[in-house]
């Protein structure tokens, strides 16, 4: 029997991007995986997301409420309305399998799979499993992991560490991925530093970089390209004193990764996975308020593997970053080694391997 597959990818870009990557493979390889139809189930507020505007399959929109901020009597009523709509939508499309990418927005699709006994697969992007994974893993046939998880799940479920699925438009054109000898050549006059605060931007990172650029030694050796996030672009431009290239948002990230020699970023699973396939060393500054502090664990895993350094701080003090950069100025071979470690951790074929894990007979 051919499967009609729902990919529940709502919430943030960290859930949407790997979901789109799986959809690309399923659409391209329908016959191989015995799939008839593929749909993405996502929140209505994500309609302007570029990945979903150019999705490889039909996107089914829903508006399930987030529990936070709603009173206990109101939430069940609002949820039930949306869930009934989900049931009708899925039945019309004869859904037989659900892939949950995590986040509260995947709950209606996962609940549908459980109640109507459809196949359920889960993807976990982070080292600390999210609530969706922890609560519903026992109902899943298989669980695909991006990284080793810190604490094993308390329920028996088949798991496999594969890597975070990456969209085709981000995958490097050359499967050699990075010519580390050229990229991290100590004879280069400058080192290109790409700064990524995530889809919403990060004021802390932006300000830390602006202060870092005021160091005269760093301004001579390092060039900065800062992706501020749309909402923080104007204020960052006004504060900038040095020659940084400041960009609000980039739909096509591949040229930026190809330009970079080093990335300073939050430690969301998606950004880390993309940096890894480009063989990029990283300075990771975890978002301290992420659920279960999962960004801290993601960063520490990559640091332990020798591909990154971590700055655990909520301040804009540039001192730790300045120290790392000046150390690399006098010891560029360390950057090269970190880039090689980054490449070693990567899996450019994670999307295909995840789909194969779920649907190979």
């Amino acid at each position: 029997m051919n499967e009609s597959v729902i990919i529940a990818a709502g919430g943030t870009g960290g859930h949407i991007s790997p979901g789109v990557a799986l959809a690309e493979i399923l659409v391209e390889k329908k016959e191989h995986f015995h799939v008839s139809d593929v749909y993405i189930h996502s929140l209505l507020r994500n309609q302007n997301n570029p990945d979903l505007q150019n999705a490889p399959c039909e996107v089914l929109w829903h508006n399930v409420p987030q529990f936070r901020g709603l009173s206990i009597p109101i939430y069940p009523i609002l949820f039930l309305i949306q869930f009934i709509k989900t049931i009708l939508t899925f039945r019309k499309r004869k859904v037989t399998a659900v892939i949950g990418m995590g986040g509260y927005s995947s709950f209606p699709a996962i609940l549908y799979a459980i109640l109507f006994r459809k196949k359920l697969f889960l993807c976990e992007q982070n080292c600390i499993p999210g609530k969706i994974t922890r609560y519903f893993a026992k109902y899943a046939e298989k669980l695909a992991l991006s990284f080793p998880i810190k604490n094993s799940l308390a329920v028996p479920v088949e798991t496999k560490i594969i890597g975070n699925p990456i969209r085709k438009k981000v995958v490097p054109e050359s499967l050699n991925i990075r010519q580390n000898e050229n990229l991290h050549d100590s004879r280069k006059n400058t080192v290109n530093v790409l700064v990524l605060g995530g889809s919403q931007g990060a004021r802390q990172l932006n300000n830390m970089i602006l202060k870092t650029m005021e160091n005269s030694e760093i301004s001579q050796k390092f060039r900065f390209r800062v992706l501020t996030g749309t909402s923080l672009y104007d204020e960052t431009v006004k504060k900038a004193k040095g020659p940084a290239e400041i960009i609000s948002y980039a739909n096509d990230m591949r040229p930026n990764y190809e330009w970079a020699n080093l990335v300073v970023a939050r430690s969301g699973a998606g950004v880390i996975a993309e940096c890894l396939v480009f063989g990029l060393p990283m300075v990771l500054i975890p978002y301290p308020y992420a659920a279960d502090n999962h960004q801290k664990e993601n960063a520490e895993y990559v640091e332990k593997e020798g591909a990154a350094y971590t700055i655990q701080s909520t301040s804009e003090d540039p001192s730790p970053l300045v120290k790392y950069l000046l150390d690399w100025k006098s010891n560029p071979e360390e950057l090269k080694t970190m880039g090689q470690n980054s490449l070693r951790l990567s899996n450019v074929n994670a999307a295909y391997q995840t789909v194969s894990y779920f649907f190979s007979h």
Side-chain angles (χ1 to χ4, degrees), residues 5-11 16 38-44 46 52 57-64 82-83 85-87 89-90 98-99 101 105-110:
V5 181
I6 287 286
I7 300 171
I16 294 169
V38 183
Y39 307 95
I40 293 173
H41 196 230
S42 193
L43 285 169
L44 194 61
N46 292 324
L52 295 179
C57 61
E58 183 181 357
V59 181
L60 307 176
W61 303 104
H62 69 96
N63 200 24
V64 66
Q82 291 299 317
F83 185 54
K85 291 181 179 179
T86 295
I87 293 173
T89 300
F90 286 13
V98 170
I99 301 174
M101 304 304 298
S105 68
S106 64
F107 180 42
I110 290 171

Side-chain angles (χ1 to χ4, degrees), residues 11 14 37 70 75 82 113 115 118-119 168 180 193 205 222 229 237 252 269 284 286 288 294 330 333 339:
D37 299 288
L70 291 174
Y75 180 82
Q82 291 299 317
L115 293 180
K118 307 302 180 183
K119 294 178 181 177
K168 285 184 178 179
N180 283 295
V193 182
L205 264 66
F222 297 90
V237 169
D252 185 2
L284 297 173
H294 67 261
S330 57
E333 285 300 307

Side-chain angles (χ1 to χ4, degrees), residues 218-229:
I218 285 175
S219 64
Q220 292 172 13
K221 179 66 176 178
F222 297 90
R223 290 187 297 181
F224 294 88
R225 179 179 292 179
V226 186
L227 273 66
T228 63

Side-chain angles (χ1 to χ4, degrees), residues 127-231:
C127 290
I128 298 289
K131 290 185 176 70
I132 288 291
T133 299
R134 297 199 304 270
Y135 295 161
F136 298 109
K138 62 184 176 183
Y139 301 104
E141 294 192 14
K142 294 179 180 179
L143 169 62
L145 304 176
S146 295
F147 305 122
I149 56 177
K150 185 174 183 182
N151 300 314
S152 60
L153 295 167
V155 295
V157 58
E158 183 181 344
T159 63
K160 187 174 183 180
I161 302 169
I162 298 174
N164 205 23
I166 297 172
R167 298 157 294 167
K168 285 184 178 179
K169 69 178 184 180
V170 181
V171 171
E173 291 184 5
S174 169
L175 289 185
N176 293 325
I177 301 176
R178 262 313 187 206
Q179 292 73 41
N180 283 295
E181 292 76 13
N182 295 330
L183 178 66
H184 306 296
D185 192 334
S186 61
R187 293 168 295 183
K188 285 187 64 172
N189 292 324
T190 57
V191 176
N192 295 338
V193 182
L194 179 64
V195 183
L196 305 173
S199 56
Q200 304 303 313
R203 181 175 282 107
Q204 177 199 6
L205 264 66
N206 296 343
N207 291 340
M208 183 185 291
I209 291 299
L210 295 179
K211 293 176 182 178
T212 299
M213 290 165 47
E214 294 174 6
N215 182 291
S216 58
E217 287 186 81
I218 285 175
S219 64
Q220 292 172 13
K221 179 66 176 178
F222 297 90
R223 290 187 297 181
F224 294 88
R225 179 179 292 179
V226 186
L227 273 66
T228 63
T230 306
S231 63

